[in-house]
Amino acid sequence: MKIAFNMLSASHGGGFNTYNKNILNQLFIDDDLENEFFIFTNDNSLKIDKKNIHLVHVPNLFSKIFLRIFWMQFILPLNLLFKKVDILFSPMNIVPIALYLSKIK
């Protein structure tokens, strides 16, 4: 199964960034080799050495609120479809509308 994490965060940091980092730290600890993970992030400090976890770096330009919403509604769904993702975990209160038309959960 292919699972994507939308960890794109605001440029100012805060609790949301802490929440994301805690989720990712647990993911890095677990040895889940059955699934493939895609992590969409604008945090350039993340480094991963696991074969089944892929970082997809998003330019910091999209950390601005309106551009971030544009990215989530148009660019992210295309990426998910291209990568044939089965599940998207997005800890925000905004979900790409296009996902309602796809099989992505």
Side-chain angles (χ1 to χ4, degrees):
M1 183 171 288
K2 293 183 178 182
I3 303 169
F5 290 82
N6 177 10
M7 298 294 173
L8 190 68
S9 60
S11 57
H12 56 77
F16 184 74
N17 284 345
T18 303
Y19 177 76
N20 284 349
K21 287 186 183 202
N22 287 333
I23 288 173
L24 293 179
N25 285 337
Q26 189 61 42
L27 180 65
F28 298 156
I29 292 171
D30 291 344
D31 286 329
D32 181 354
L33 300 176
E34 293 179 21
N35 297 306
E36 189 172 3
F37 300 96
F38 296 93
I39 301 169
F40 293 87
T41 181
N42 57 346
D43 183 353
N44 292 323
S45 67
L46 287 177
K47 305 291 181 223
I48 300 174
D49 61 354
K50 293 188 176 190
K51 289 183 178 182
N52 65 328
I53 301 176
H54 312 283
L55 284 179
V56 181
H57 289 285
V58 179
N60 277 331
L61 168 73
F62 293 107
S63 64
K64 310 282 189 243
I65 184 70
F66 293 113
L67 292 176
R68 188 169 65 238
I69 291 171
F70 174 81
W71 180 84
M72 283 189 283
Q73 293 300 320
F74 298 103
I75 300 172
L76 177 61
L78 292 175
N79 272 288
L80 297 175
L81 291 172
F82 179 72
K83 293 177 183 341
K84 298 180 182 173
V85 168
D86 300 301
I87 298 173
L88 170 66
F89 176 74
S90 185
M92 294 176 233
N93 57 357
I94 301 171
V95 176
I97 295 170
L99 292 188
Y100 293 113
L101 304 173
S102 73
K103 294 180 181 180
I104 299 172
K105 296 178 184 182

